[in-house]
Amino acid sequence: MPEPTADDEPRLLDAVLDRAGGLVHRHPRRAERLAVWADRRAERAADRSRLARARYVRAQIMTERGELDAALTLIAEARRWWSEAGHTLAALRTDLGRMHVLDDLGRHHEAIEVGERLAAALAELGTAGPADDGQEARYVRAHAVKNLGVAYGLVGRHTEALEAYARAADEYAALGRHDETALPLANTGLELLALGRPVEALAAFDRAIEIFERADDPAFAAQCRGDAAQAHRQLGQVGEALRLLEEARGSLERLGALTEAVRLRLALAQTHLAVGLWDEAREAAGSAATQAAGSGLRHDEARARFLVSLCDLAEDRCGSALEELQRAGALFAEVDDRQHLARVALARAQGLAGLGAEDEAREAADEAVALLEAGGWQVPLVSARLLRADLATDPAEAEERLGAVAALVAGLDLPELSYEHELRTARVLRSRGELDLAADHLLRALAALERAAGSLPDYALLTAFRMHRSQAHGELVEVLLERGGPGDVAAASHVADDVRARTLADLLARAAGRGPVLSAAGRDLGEAYAELQAQYLAEEQVPPATPTRTRDLERRVSSLRTRHLGGAAGPGVRERGAVRPDVLVPTLAYHVSGDDLLAFVHRPDRVEARRLPGVVGRLGRLLDDLDDQWSRAAIASAHLASGARPLVGSARATLRDLHDLLVEPVADLLVGLGPRLCVVPDGEMGTVPFAALHDGQAHLLERWTITQAPSLLDADGAAPALPRAARAVVAGVPDEDAPLVEQEARAVAGCHPGSVLLEGPSATVAALSASVAGADVVHVACHGLHQPQDPLFSRLRLHDRWLPSAEVVQLDLDGALVVLSACQSGTHASQREPVGLAWAFLAAGAAGVVVCQWHVADATTAEVMAALHRALASGTPADEALRAAQRDAVAGGLHPYFWGAFALVVGPTRARAVSAQRLLDPTEETV
């Protein structure tokens, strides 16, 4: 900057400080450079007035950056210099900044005292001074009243807060300062949100954002978008909430507004909680707690710890949740946040109930209800009353409590609350035997669920959301089977399947499966994903004692991926009339109901059901026994001259036990079903080798050609067959556990003339991605790994790096048959909607996927794969080709460990999700 003359120094300082003040929210780093320069010049010139102004601008920048103690010091210095310079109004005005910082520090009562004294002093100054001073005093008083509204709201005095914002907005408008009305509008939205009025809040936020943008104030516009995201979340519009949060995050990071970035993390944690992504919510809330504690943001630290406790409650870690709630409660008491103290009481009641301490839980729930009623906080009040109904000592009390809250739920019209209320009401009606009414309420619960799910932009989000809200489906299945009217059994089967079918329909429509390209997703996500890939490779060299760092990185990538999905479009509206609820493939579909298993047999003319009581626990134990059988076979084949053949008998015994548990009870329903059978497993059943089950005489593959499906199939769900001169892509990546993979790849490629063969160094992720478009069959032989905590990170090891499910969905596999000769490629978590490798390939458009459910010695795998591809090349449908290869292995005396791992998973070729109402009323048009 040029050296000014003595005459123009004050004017230059004024110009620089004007510029710095205008840049505080838009470009805080530039503003700080200018303010520091002006501060030094004014101090050297002993110019008290301009020194005060420079200190105050610097305080505003420190506040934005979260350096609150430094901000308070600078504000006090600015007030002193202005007072010494005789500028009374300017000195008083510093209290506005002081109020702001005190609120950030959670010292809300101090902020209220400062604001009320300031308003009184300004009123006196406005009447005693000249006209110009009076106008300026009115303007500062409008600021003071607005800041008072903030402090009132933070201690739960919402009515006073709304009145303060209205007075401030009126004063700004009367003074012709229309741009200044944006902040009172935005804060009004926050108060309305706290009172459970999200529609009104959203209107206020939208108007405020419009004014902020017109005034070129990106920081406040970004903050307001973060607030609007919470209104959308409360309305069940989670996809729009994510979009706004991502927009706001980008703006605040560019501006370096760290304090508001902490609050945005809190909003993101709340949104993840709403969806059911507990790990991502915990990561966002935990990092916000650390950052808030480091910056002295006591109120924000309290909110972050409270959100961590809610993550614990969601995962039934009630003891840990109660400890975290105690810490959060102490912080909320310190800052006198009455609403959150009431919410802590509610969460404490939930934790106590989870530990079985029902008397203490009722006492805590009653305390929460009283506090929430007194504060007028309607949304958590509904949750508290619903919990109190859950804790009722008899059905009559529960019904009375549910009836008392019904009007409030209807008035709020929020999908999540509607779902919870309808579900509980249905349970009470079912206990009284009023099954028709119970079914009606459950249908309303499912409609509310889909209303909330409809805005989610990604398959993983839909999976988490629906998986954690599947109780209404299970309840409706039981109600329909109890009622037993015409068509109720078929409807029960479709409802049982509905959780899977709806998300799979979105997945197959490819509107939900795309997501960001992780390896090219921008600085934050792209860098985090690159770090995760480097960690995977490092683990191969030195396996860690615990995979903590890997899981932390996976959670970070998942969280960042979710944020990027905020801008993605949600699943499109399904074409009307495109789907019928008829199942035209003979099917044995299972549904876990508590410790029971429901088996539905779909025949061409009817659906029949049978309950298998108490089998779920036994199934888990038998699957553990089966794992032991496979381990023994693997060891014997590697170390004994006789191999695993002597162990065939004991393996068959376990397979016989599984058959007797799962198939024998419905054997009479399967008579005359035809040569093909599709099995739709549920829960842990995804790891059952159905083709290998033994009835005492033969394996099931001797009776049927068996496929598996993630959901009920229609006529288009037949197993794929390859055309003549099929275009094949074959990739093989050997490792020390599977050194013969390249021989397998060459043998498979030899079955398909003209195939693309990627082996060794040429089998990279990029090469595979570029080659699969337009392929009829894709064969991948490599190491596979299942990640049960987050199946989107189940992955295949190609030559250069790992290919996770989250990237598999990016492949163009339209109609291709995929063969995964990779261990664990058919494994998934014991949940209703697995997202493992098979589902990822279906998401990418594959017509079917041959998977491997456990590790198999590669020499035997190569034999089975070669036999499979010879049959495929001759035009044999994939299910028959796999059956023929497995029967050859049985005829050769091979242990089931070597051939039973392989299964064909077939997905529907069009969306077939049907509304639950449509299943019960065929006259309703499907959407």
Side-chain angles (χ1 to χ4, degrees):
M1 231 175 245
E3 286 294 318
T5 65
D7 292 337
D8 61 13
E9 171 98 2
R11 284 182 301 173
L12 176 62
L13 288 175
D14 285 338
V16 169
L17 289 169
D18 285 344
R19 179 66 173 155
L23 291 172
V24 166
H25 297 301
R26 288 180 290 160
H27 301 288
R29 294 183 182 90
R30 287 164 58 188
E32 184 174 28
R33 287 196 297 270
L34 292 172
V36 168
W37 183 90
D39 188 301
R40 290 170 181 164
R41 301 291 303 210
E43 189 170 26
R44 189 187 311 160
D47 188 336
R48 293 183 178 84
S49 177
R50 289 167 182 84
L51 178 58
R53 193 175 166 201
R55 296 283 162 93
Y56 195 67
V57 171
R58 289 176 59 197
Q60 291 175 295
I61 297 164
M62 293 291 147
T63 303
E64 288 290 314
R65 212 157 56 200
E67 298 178 25
L68 302 179
D69 290 334
L72 282 177
T73 299
L74 288 166
I75 288 169
E77 290 172 0
R79 184 186 184 95
R80 177 166 63 88
W81 290 121
W82 263 317
S83 295
E84 289 185 11
H87 297 298
T88 304
L89 182 57
L92 287 173
R93 186 170 183 163
T94 61
D95 280 343
L96 297 175
R98 188 173 168 215
M99 291 176 69
H100 186 113
V101 176
L102 288 171
D103 277 327
D104 279 347
L105 289 167
R107 293 155 60 179
H108 308 306
H109 288 291
E110 290 181 61
I112 290 171
E113 290 173 8
V114 171
E116 289 176 345
R117 283 200 306 268
L118 174 60
L122 289 167
E124 183 178 341
L125 183 65
T127 57
D132 288 346
D133 283 353
Q135 288 289 98
E136 185 64 18
R138 285 179 60 193
Y139 178 57
V140 177
R141 188 168 68 246
H143 277 317
V145 172
K146 175 198 69 186
N147 286 7
L148 270 173
V150 173
Y152 288 145
L154 288 169
V155 296
R157 293 161 62 176
H158 300 296
T159 301
E160 291 169 90
L162 288 171
E163 290 172 353
Y165 294 140
R167 289 203 314 273
D170 288 345
E171 191 73 69
Y172 287 135
L175 291 168
R177 305 286 190 111
H178 298 286
D179 286 351
E180 302 280 4
T181 62
L183 268 176
L185 270 174
N187 292 339
T188 296
L190 289 172
E191 296 305 316
L192 292 169
L193 203 56
L195 292 169
R197 294 155 64 181
V199 175
E200 297 170 73
L202 201 53
F205 290 138
D206 287 344
R207 291 200 304 275
I209 290 170
E210 182 181 346
I211 297 170
F212 284 135
E213 288 181 338
R214 190 174 64 220
D216 191 24
D217 194 332
F220 276 125
Q223 292 172 35
C224 203
R225 281 192 176 87
D227 297 331
Q230 298 312 296
H232 283 290
R233 179 186 57 78
Q234 207 172 91
L235 288 165
Q237 299 161 357
V238 182
E240 181 63 11
L242 285 167
R243 185 188 69 78
L244 287 171
L245 286 170
E246 179 59 18
E247 273 189 41
R249 180 198 63 82
S251 297
L252 292 174
E253 283 190 356
R254 285 191 298 273
L255 294 168
L258 299 185
T259 301
E260 291 305 324
V262 169
R263 289 163 189 161
L264 206 65
R265 281 189 176 275
L266 294 175
L268 188 64
Q270 288 178 287
T271 306
H272 284 153
L273 269 172
V275 176
L277 296 173
W278 316 138
D279 281 349
E280 288 79 0
R282 189 187 307 280
E283 191 271 336
S287 63
T290 301
Q291 197 169 351
S295 298
L297 302 171
R298 305 290 280 172
H299 203 159
D300 295 302
E301 182 188 355
R303 290 173 59 209
R305 292 192 178 281
F306 177 65
L307 289 171
V308 171
S309 76
L310 296 186
C311 294
D312 288 336
L313 285 176
E315 296 183 294
D316 294 324
R317 297 165 56 180
C318 298
S320 175
L322 289 172
E323 292 175 7
E324 197 67 64
L325 284 168
Q326 187 171 6
R327 288 190 282 269
L331 288 169
F332 284 131
E334 182 182 317
V335 301
D336 196 28
D337 184 337
R338 300 172 193 176
Q339 179 180 176
H340 272 96
L341 284 170
R343 287 176 181 258
V344 165
L346 169 57
R348 184 170 173 273
Q350 291 172 311
L352 291 168
L355 293 174
E358 293 198 355
D359 289 340
E360 293 177 72
R362 289 187 193 97
E363 184 178 334
D366 287 337
E367 177 191 354
V369 168
L371 290 171
L372 292 165
E373 279 184 336
W377 302 303
Q378 297 183 346
V379 174
L381 175 60
V382 170
S383 297
R385 286 183 168 176
L386 291 176
L387 176 62
R388 194 59 186 85
D390 291 341
L391 295 168
T393 54
D394 58 68
E397 181 193 350
E399 184 175 15
E400 180 182 352
R401 290 184 179 278
L402 289 170
V405 78
L408 182 54
V409 172
L412 291 171
D413 192 29
L414 302 178
E416 184 76 9
L417 296 181
S418 297
Y419 172 81
E420 297 292 346
H421 183 260
E422 297 290 359
L423 175 60
R424 287 165 171 78
T425 302
R427 285 173 174 163
V428 170
L429 292 167
R430 181 187 171 198
S431 71
R432 288 212 316 248
E434 298 183 38
L435 300 180
D436 289 343
L437 284 174
D440 288 343
H441 281 277
L442 288 168
L443 288 172
R444 290 180 203 149
L446 293 176
L449 180 70
E450 287 310 307
R451 184 154 61 102
S455 71
L456 294 175
D458 176 63
Y459 172 61
L461 298 179
L462 287 162
T463 296
F465 182 81
R466 290 196 177 107
M467 185 183 72
H468 295 293
R469 293 166 180 80
S470 60
Q471 304 100 313
H473 288 88
E475 198 79 27
L476 184 54
V477 168
E478 296 289 358
V479 166
L480 292 170
L481 292 178
E482 283 182 38
R483 191 170 70 177
D488 277 351
V489 173
S493 177
H494 283 282
V495 171
D497 190 64
D498 190 55
V499 179
R500 295 181 294 254
R502 283 187 174 276
T503 303
L504 183 60
D506 295 329
L507 176 151
L508 292 172
R510 303 188 66 185
R514 291 172 182 162
V517 178
L518 296 179
S519 56
R523 181 173 58 84
D524 52 358
L525 178 53
E527 288 179 359
Y529 186 60
E531 190 175 354
L532 175 60
Q533 284 288 345
Q535 177 66 15
Y536 286 155
L537 297 177
E539 281 187 350
E540 295 176 355
Q541 304 302 317
V542 183
T546 58
T548 304
R549 174 164 169 74
T550 302
R551 283 297 301 130
D552 287 345
L553 283 170
E554 286 174 343
R555 278 192 289 267
R556 174 156 176 74
V557 170
S558 182
S559 178
L560 290 168
R561 178 179 181 275
T562 302
R563 279 163 38 178
H564 276 261
L565 287 164
V573 177
R574 300 180 187 91
E575 182 182 351
R576 290 181 175 271
V579 185
R580 295 189 305 137
D582 307 308
V583 175
L584 302 177
V585 178
T587 300
L588 173 58
Y590 292 95
H591 174 73
V592 174
S593 180
D595 198 39
D596 295 349
L597 200 60
L598 300 176
F600 295 93
V601 177
H602 288 256
R603 307 175 67 91
D605 58 338
R606 65 187 184 279
V607 181
E608 298 181 89
R610 189 155 291 168
R611 184 181 296 275
L612 283 55
V615 306
V616 173
R618 286 189 60 204
L619 173 62
R621 292 190 291 274
L622 283 175
L623 289 175
D624 288 341
D625 290 345
L626 194 62
D627 282 341
D628 291 340
Q629 295 291 340
W630 301 154
S631 296
R632 292 171 62 197
I635 293 169
S637 66
H639 299 287
L640 299 179
S642 59
R645 290 176 190 271
L647 303 177
V648 169
S650 61
R652 281 181 177 169
T654 302
L655 292 168
R656 171 77 182 270
D657 290 341
L658 281 167
H659 175 275
D660 291 347
L661 187 73
L662 301 175
V663 181
E664 183 61 31
V666 294
D668 57 313
L669 303 181
L670 300 174
V671 173
L673 202 59
R676 281 185 164 86
L677 178 65
C678 178
V679 178
V680 180
D682 193 24
E684 287 185 306
M685 298 182 68
T687 59
V688 174
F690 283 95
L693 298 188
H694 204 277
D695 65 3
Q697 302 296 319
H699 296 284
L700 287 191
L701 63 82
E702 300 291 350
R703 292 180 56 190
W704 290 295
T705 299
I706 295 176
T707 58
Q708 292 188 32
S711 177
L712 295 173
L713 304 178
D714 52 25
D716 292 335
L722 301 186
R724 289 186 178 181
R727 182 176 181 274
V729 175
V730 182
V733 182
D735 61 20
E736 60 183 19
D737 293 324
L740 303 180
V741 158
E742 284 187 337
Q743 289 92 314
E744 173 189 330
R746 291 170 194 155
V748 168
C751 297
H752 305 284
S755 60
V756 176
L757 177 60
L758 305 171
E759 55 182 333
S762 67
T764 63
V765 172
L768 181 68
S769 302
S771 301
V772 296
D776 298 300
V777 60
V778 176
H779 181 100
V780 183
C782 65
H783 182 54
L785 186 64
H786 173 58
Q787 170 54 281
Q789 287 83 13
D790 191 341
L792 277 173
F793 293 102
S794 295
R795 52 196 183 270
L796 299 173
R797 181 60 164 99
L798 297 185
H799 177 76
D800 57 334
R801 64 178 178 86
W802 289 89
L803 174 68
S805 294
E807 275 194 86
V808 168
V809 296
Q810 307 283 346
L811 300 177
D812 185 0
L813 295 170
D814 189 19
L817 172 68
V818 175
V819 181
L820 298 178
S821 180
C823 54
Q824 300 189 31
S825 58
T827 308
H828 60 68
S830 56
Q831 59 191 50
R832 189 132 292 160
E833 293 187 90
V835 198
L837 284 162
W839 279 53
F841 279 94
L842 292 175
V849 187
V850 175
V851 296
C852 186
Q853 295 175 312
W854 56 81
H855 177 73
V856 180
D858 62 336
T860 310
T861 299
E863 294 176 15
V864 175
M865 291 294 102
L868 167 66
H869 280 276
R870 284 194 296 270
L872 287 171
S874 70
T876 305
D879 56 351
E880 293 182 20
L882 179 60
R883 182 192 188 196
Q886 291 176 315
R887 291 180 77 178
D888 287 348
V890 174
L894 281 180
H895 191 286
Y897 158 75
F898 293 105
W899 56 265
F902 301 101
L904 173 63
V905 181
V906 178
T909 56
R910 66 173 186 247
R912 61 167 321 281
V914 183
S915 73
Q917 180 65 50
R918 170 76 173 89
L919 295 170
L920 302 184
D921 181 7
T923 63
E924 183 188 288
E925 192 172 19
T926 301
V927 294

